[in-house]
Amino acid sequence: MFRIRFRTLALLSLVYTLLAVPRADAADSRAIAEQAFDELVQQRFDALAARFSPQMKAALPPERIAAQVQPLLASFGALRGPRPQPRSTQAQGNDVFIFPAVFEKNRANIVI
């Protein structure tokens, strides 16, 4: 068992909030979620922000994402192994993918 720190919850909330995408079929939704997970973990915040609506881009540009997320990811260490296989669910009519990620120093369910 592991403890989730407040900062971990903040990251998960941030990712869930930022990555809402237009409705797509299940395969497309999963592919989008996997790409977004990779962009997040690889700290490619420009690519991640390219998925946002114009309003979200204005509110949360890549530099701001980096300032908030990079320290947290740095504290987790590198992702161990390949991208985890996500579980999927529905929330408010949206496809939601939960990636049970294991990092060198922590574990987190990354919700996209």
Side-chain angles (χ1 to χ4, degrees), residues 39-96:
E39 292 162 357
L40 176 73
V41 171
Q42 296 166 5
Q43 300 184 33
R44 296 183 336 197
F45 303 119
D46 287 335
L48 188 62
R51 300 177 182 285
F52 299 169
S53 69
Q55 297 85 358
M56 183 58 81
K57 284 180 189 176
L60 198 59
E63 308 80 42
R64 189 165 174 206
I65 299 169
Q68 294 179 6
V69 176
Q70 273 180 330
L72 182 58
L73 289 174
S75 75
F76 282 8
L79 181 67
R80 290 195 173 202
R83 176 192 330 113
Q85 293 299 309
R87 298 183 314 269
S88 64
T89 188
Q90 289 273 314
Q92 299 177 348
N94 295 306
D95 294 325
V96 177

Side-chain angles (χ1 to χ4, degrees), residues 1-70:
M1 192 62 96
F2 61 94
R3 295 182 184 173
I4 296 180
R5 299 179 192 149
F6 175 76
R7 291 184 336 171
T8 304
L9 293 175
L11 171 66
L12 302 183
S13 176
L14 175 69
V15 172
Y16 181 75
T17 301
L18 298 180
L19 296 177
V21 295
R23 188 83 171 118
D25 69 43
D28 289 344
S29 293
R30 182 181 172 124
I32 291 166
E34 289 173 344
Q35 291 167 358
F37 176 89
D38 292 345
E39 292 162 357
L40 176 73
V41 171
Q42 296 166 5
Q43 300 184 33
R44 296 183 336 197
F45 303 119
D46 287 335
L48 188 62
R51 300 177 182 285
F52 299 169
S53 69
Q55 297 85 358
M56 183 58 81
K57 284 180 189 176
L60 198 59
E63 308 80 42
R64 189 165 174 206
I65 299 169
Q68 294 179 6
V69 176
Q70 273 180 330

